[in-house]
Amino acid sequence: MPFVNIKKQYLAIGMLIFVVLFFFNSRPAFQCQFTPEVTPYLPTIYGITPTYARLTQKADLTRLSQTLMLVKNFHWIVIEDSDTKTKLVENLLKETPLKYTHLNMKTQKSKHSSVSASGVEQRNIALNWLRGHLDAIPDKRGAVYFMDDDNTYSLKVFEEMRKIQKVGVWPVGIVGGMRIEMPLVTNGKISGFNAVWKPFRPFPIDMAGFAINATLFLIHPEAKFSRKVQSGFQESEILKYFTTKNEMEPLAENCTKVYVWHTRTQKPSILNPKKLKHPPIPDGHIEV
Ligand code: UGA
Ligand code: MN
């Protein structure tokens, strides 16, 4: 009957539309199946950050941790300059989605107190931890970056350090009395350094201005920071184990870009509540 025929035709057209729509909607799934996305290899960045208790610590660590949340394949090693781990740092780390290792080591002031240098003992125990960690995992590749907790890091600096073969270097903004302290590059090689503060340092660059291939720390188990060198020589002290000026790899567009700034958080002055005529409501129970 013609009536039935028409119904069958409608049914066939309807089924055809359904099949076309089904395939159209499923395209991404099919694409995934036939052309799998190739994720390029990303070396892990091990960021080593000493930190100490002061009024601006949580603010500095919050800012830094929120930058680090945007960095892929990042492992944060945070070392408190204290005899025990504090709740403030422990909770801050727990609340981040970051991969982290929390350590503590109090600075030994007594021995070489005339030499002012922060982070020496803390960075050294972080390097010990890192060696043990790399020994235990099959993929030992990565980059090690020594990060102050109060610097400002562009995401671009992390992209640069993934290119490192041995030791990569780049300029640092607002440091050593200069707008920019930086390596000088001639024909793709480091030919010198533009630095005015202690320019006689073997490597006159700041801690934020270089990163080192992680595997090299296994090849050089003796490499560490030292309290026996004069102030400002910590960078040179660690770099001497791994590289020479000529071997350093200039990054950040041949050292023409600033992707990290040696910012320093101002020490706040808080009025003594006992000396105020109208003392504020006590707030000691609230973490700041
Ligand atoms: C400069 C360099 O950028 C640092 O890498 C170097 O450690 C430092 O000098 C030094 O040799 O003393 P600067 O801004 O003067 O940086 O130092 P801070 O930012 O005050 O300290 C460097 C790191 O060590 C920070 O992450 C800080 O939290 C930590 N620190 C500082 C401690 O763990 N204990 C302290 O008593 C002081
Ligand atoms: Mn600093």
Side-chain angles (χ1 to χ4, degrees):
M1 274 184 352
F3 180 65
V4 174
N5 280 346
I6 289 166
K7 266 182 85 177
K8 272 187 186 164
Q9 277 168 2
Y10 277 135
L11 199 68
I13 290 166
M15 277 176 73
L16 193 69
I17 290 169
F18 175 79
V19 168
V20 167
L21 284 177
F22 176 80
F23 273 89
F24 183 75
N25 278 333
S26 319
R27 256 183 72 203
F30 279 91
Q31 277 177 347
C32 280
Q33 204 175 333
F34 298 123
T35 53
E37 215 180 280
V38 180
T39 318
Y41 166 70
L42 269 190
T44 303
I45 295 169
Y46 295 95
I48 296 182
T49 303
T51 188
Y52 70 108
R54 77 272 184 196
L55 200 44
T56 59
Q57 183 183 32
K58 191 175 181 185
D60 282 336
L61 289 175
T62 297
R63 189 173 51 220
L64 178 53
S65 68
Q66 291 183 358
T67 295
L68 298 178
M69 285 178 206
L70 301 170
V71 184
K72 290 198 186 91
N73 272 20
F74 187 87
H75 189 133
W76 198 17
I77 308 169
V78 178
I79 322 95
E80 289 194 68
D81 183 353
S82 60
D83 288 323
T84 53
K85 295 187 178 78
T86 65
K87 278 275 164 235
L88 186 147
V89 176
E90 195 179 307
N91 289 337
L92 187 136
L93 289 171
K94 259 189 211 155
E95 284 168 20
T96 72
L98 292 167
K99 195 170 186 182
Y100 67 84
T101 298
H102 185 189
L103 306 169
N104 66 287
M105 164 67 95
K106 180 99 184 128
T107 298
Q108 299 142 19
K109 283 247 158 72
S110 54
K111 277 191 200 161
H112 303 278
S113 53
S114 60
V115 180
S116 90
S118 327
V120 172
E121 293 78 7
Q122 293 75 24
R123 291 180 184 121
N124 282 343
I125 61 145
L127 290 177
N128 287 349
W129 177 89
L130 180 70
R131 287 184 176 103
H133 172 74
L134 292 176
D135 265 336
I137 58 169
D139 189 355
K140 303 179 195 309
R141 292 173 294 180
V144 176
Y145 190 33
F146 298 103
M147 310 176 70
D148 287 11
D149 60 2
D150 57 348
N151 286 345
T152 305
Y153 302 89
S154 161
L155 297 179
K156 290 178 182 169
V157 79
F158 302 101
E159 286 168 31
E160 292 303 302
M161 63 186 79
R162 297 198 211 263
K163 303 173 190 167
I164 289 171
Q165 300 295 313
K166 287 175 87 180
V167 177
V169 277
W170 46 80
V172 178
I174 339 170
V175 71
M178 300 178 83
R179 289 177 71 245
I180 310 165
E181 202 182 61
M182 63 182 173
L184 301 167
V185 183
T186 313
N187 298 326
K189 292 269 173 202
I190 305 296
S191 51
F193 297 91
N194 200 27
V196 293
W197 185 69
K198 297 193 178 180
F200 49 87
R201 288 174 286 165
F203 296 99
I205 55 177
D206 184 77
M207 208 64 86
F210 64 91
I212 301 171
N213 183 327
T215 317
L216 293 181
F217 284 91
L218 292 179
I219 298 170
H220 296 281
E222 74 285 10
K224 59 176 168 52
F225 293 91
S226 166
R227 282 248 163 239
K228 291 183 183 150
V229 297
Q230 62 165 293
S231 118
F233 275 56
Q234 292 302 329
E235 292 85 352
S236 300
E237 186 59 17
I238 197 74
L239 284 167
K240 74 176 188 195
Y241 293 100
F242 305 111
T243 190
T244 60
K245 190 179 81 181
N246 293 330
E247 279 180 333
M248 286 178 147
E249 299 146 41
L251 293 170
E253 294 188 25
N254 263 330
C255 296
T256 63
K257 299 281 180 196
V258 175
Y259 295 153
V260 57
W261 298 262
H262 189 256
T263 45
R264 300 179 86 187
T265 305
Q266 191 181 20
K267 191 170 186 263
S269 53
I270 304 296
L271 304 174
N272 185 346
K274 284 179 199 150
K275 291 189 182 162
L276 295 174
K277 207 170 154 198
H278 301 290
I281 296 162
D283 60 9
H285 59 292
I286 302 176
E287 190 178 84
V288 62

